[in-house]
Amino acid sequence: MKLPNSKFLGLALLAAFGGGIAADAVAFDARSADRSSSRKGAKAEVRYPDATREEPKTKASSKMQGKISKLYKAYEKEDNDAEVLTLAKEIAADANANEYDKAIAAQLGAQAAYALDDSATAKQLLQQVVELNSLDNNNYFQSMLMLAQLQLQDEQYPEGMAMLDRYLAETKSNKPEDLIQKGQALYQMERYADAIPVLKQAIAATTEPKDSWYSLLLASYVEAGQPAEAIKIAEQLAAKSPDDKKAQLNLVATYQQADQFDKAAAVLEKMRQAGQLTDEKEYRQLYVTYANMDGKEKEVISVVNEGLQKGILKPDYQTQLALAQAYYYSEQVGPAIEAWQKAAPLAPNGETYLNLARVLWQEDRVAEAKQAAKAALDKGLKKPEDARKIIALP
């Protein structure tokens, strides 16, 4: 027994995985330990030991120390972003400011603009940091990475990918969190086949890859048309977190995408027995999965009736139609007619009434069949002559 348009929904992975599919953004915060360490005479952590860039020797201008200090103090205050942005612009316009002063001002100003949800200004200032090329490697490359992230976030994919590739090339970074940035960007650009090896490299580069990284790899396999690989990842995630409802439903969706309805049904049925199916969408997912399988009419009936009894499923058109067809194809004509009688008034046209009329006629319930055929005409039919033939019966 097949429902109309029975190919199940498809795999809306971004919705299924929620926020977990996105790699973590790493917006640089200039309130880092680097500056405070230098004040104490301690050596800042070298974040990019393999970078090809030679760090500039430029330092802050003596004439600008007062304004730079004022800018730092303003930045360290909470909810002071507007003032920081104003001071940063003043330094950038000051004739006494050297390239280092302007780069520092642009970096802090970009952070303030980002906090103020002014992405355009933040990107403009970060671009200045990169072009001025005056900060130490830690601050320079973190600004470059943040610029790439904001460009990608704003769907400026060519610019964002170019900046991200430049960042990776100049830092020689193999950090998994950096590779994930590229994998996610490639996914967003719908370059799924290109995203896969990058994501695999990121996962292999750490002993503790995040589940969201696997989810992104899974989504890439699905979109790249590699269902077997997608299933391997989905099974791995589901086995790792047997009580994680989202992981189990993602496995179900992956099986369905590969037309493996028997496996999808088995997972959903296990969840039903455990009381994990709690909303209408999940019950509908199970009965539609059964409807895509031959000889599973009894299972459709069981799931629909249970969902209706629990008040989880609504007695809407699709539910009543699924119930009617399942009863009919399991040779339970009486209950099938009852379900069709409930479905027909809710249908968008008269076709369901016409099917009801045909079944009633087959059961020698001619008067009822004629009444249903008239209702079919009233709701509209592609071939109204079919209903008229039933109405014309003696």
Side-chain angles (χ1 to χ4, degrees):
M1 184 268 291
K2 299 286 184 183
L3 291 180
N5 301 317
S6 62
K7 187 78 174 177
F8 184 79
L9 295 183
L11 188 58
L13 279 165
L14 286 176
F17 291 125
I21 197 169
D24 303 318
V26 186
F28 175 64
D29 188 345
R31 297 181 182 92
S32 65
D34 291 356
R35 185 161 53 81
S36 60
S37 296
S38 63
R39 283 182 173 178
K40 299 173 184 177
K43 189 175 181 180
E45 174 194 359
V46 178
R47 298 181 183 178
Y48 302 100
D50 300 321
T52 59
R53 176 180 182 258
E54 184 176 347
E55 291 197 345
K57 305 298 182 184
T58 312
K59 298 299 180 185
S61 168
S62 59
K63 293 182 180 180
M64 297 299 297
Q65 285 183 356
K67 289 189 175 182
I68 293 293
S69 179
K70 184 179 179 181
L71 175 62
Y72 275 136
K73 288 179 181 178
Y75 186 82
E76 287 171 348
K77 295 178 182 178
E78 296 293 333
D79 301 321
N80 201 34
D81 300 301
E83 182 184 356
V84 171
L85 192 53
T86 298
L87 291 172
K89 291 179 179 179
E90 288 178 2
I91 292 173
D94 196 310
N96 292 317
N98 63 20
E99 291 186 343
Y100 181 86
D101 301 326
K102 293 178 181 179
I104 284 292
Q107 182 191 49
L108 299 184
Q111 290 293 321
Y114 178 76
L116 292 168
D117 293 325
D118 186 352
S119 177
T121 298
K123 288 185 293 185
Q124 180 183 6
L125 292 170
L126 289 166
Q127 186 68 52
Q128 290 177 20
V129 174
V130 175
E131 291 173 356
L132 287 165
N133 194 25
S134 300
L135 299 183
D136 60 86
N137 279 355
N138 283 356
N139 290 291
Y140 174 80
F141 286 123
Q142 286 291 299
S143 295
M144 185 183 290
L145 178 59
M146 184 177 176
L147 174 57
Q149 290 171 340
L150 292 180
Q151 288 170 330
L152 293 167
Q153 176 182 295
D154 292 342
E155 299 184 0
Q156 296 176 298
Y157 295 126
E159 298 89 341
M161 180 56 72
M163 188 59 63
L164 185 56
D165 279 338
R166 178 179 170 183
Y167 165 83
L168 291 170
E170 293 185 14
T171 61
K172 302 295 183 185
S173 174
N174 288 313
K175 296 177 182 177
E177 58 269 22
D178 288 344
L179 294 170
I180 282 294
Q181 295 287 322
K182 182 171 182 177
Q184 179 181 333
L186 290 167
Y187 181 89
Q188 291 170 330
M189 295 171 71
E190 300 183 1
R191 292 171 54 184
Y192 308 116
D194 293 332
I196 289 169
V198 178
L199 294 169
K200 290 174 68 176
Q201 183 183 357
I203 290 170
T206 177
T207 57
E208 296 182 354
K210 296 182 180 180
D211 286 349
S212 61
W213 299 2
Y214 282 107
S215 297
L216 189 55
L217 178 59
L218 165 58
S220 298
Y221 275 129
V222 169
E223 299 292 354
Q226 300 183 43
E229 296 300 324
I231 287 172
K232 289 179 185 177
I233 300 295
E235 288 176 338
Q236 180 180 343
L237 291 172
K240 180 180 177 183
S241 304
D243 297 324
D244 185 342
K245 184 174 177 178
K246 182 184 290 186
Q248 302 305 315
L249 290 175
N250 288 339
L251 176 58
V252 169
T254 309
Y255 281 142
Q256 289 170 329
Q257 187 74 7
D259 291 343
Q260 296 185 15
F261 297 109
D262 54 340
K263 292 183 179 180
V267 176
L268 284 167
E269 190 60 57
K270 185 177 180 181
M271 294 177 70
R272 179 166 78 116
Q273 298 302 323
Q276 289 183 299
L277 301 188
T278 56
D279 65 34
E280 182 180 12
K281 179 176 66 175
E282 293 159 2
Y283 263 85
R284 192 180 299 276
Q285 190 174 21
L286 178 53
Y287 80 66
V288 172
T289 301
Y290 277 133
N292 277 279
M293 302 167 62
D294 293 331
K296 293 295 182 181
E297 289 81 13
K298 291 182 180 179
E299 286 78 1
V300 173
I301 293 167
S302 172
V303 173
V304 171
N305 282 332
E306 181 179 286
L308 289 171
Q309 289 166 6
K310 290 184 175 181
I312 296 174
L313 280 176
K314 295 179 180 140
D316 57 17
Y317 170 67
Q318 289 294 342
T319 301
Q320 295 295 347
L321 181 62
L323 194 57
Q325 292 183 332
Y327 275 129
Y328 183 78
Y329 287 109
S330 61
E331 300 181 357
Q332 300 180 65
V333 180
I337 289 174
E338 291 178 12
W340 259 311
Q341 288 171 332
K342 294 176 182 177
L346 304 174
N349 52 50
E351 301 298 332
T352 304
Y353 265 122
L354 182 58
N355 285 334
L356 172 61
R358 288 166 174 157
V359 174
L360 288 167
W361 174 72
Q362 291 170 1
E363 294 298 303
D364 292 327
R365 295 165 62 172
V366 178
E368 293 175 85
K370 291 182 177 184
Q371 186 177 1
K374 289 176 183 178
L377 284 174
D378 291 340
K379 285 185 76 73
L381 292 169
K382 291 181 179 178
K383 295 182 178 181
E385 61 271 18
D386 291 345
R388 294 192 183 102
K389 289 179 182 178
I390 294 177
I391 295 171
L393 290 171

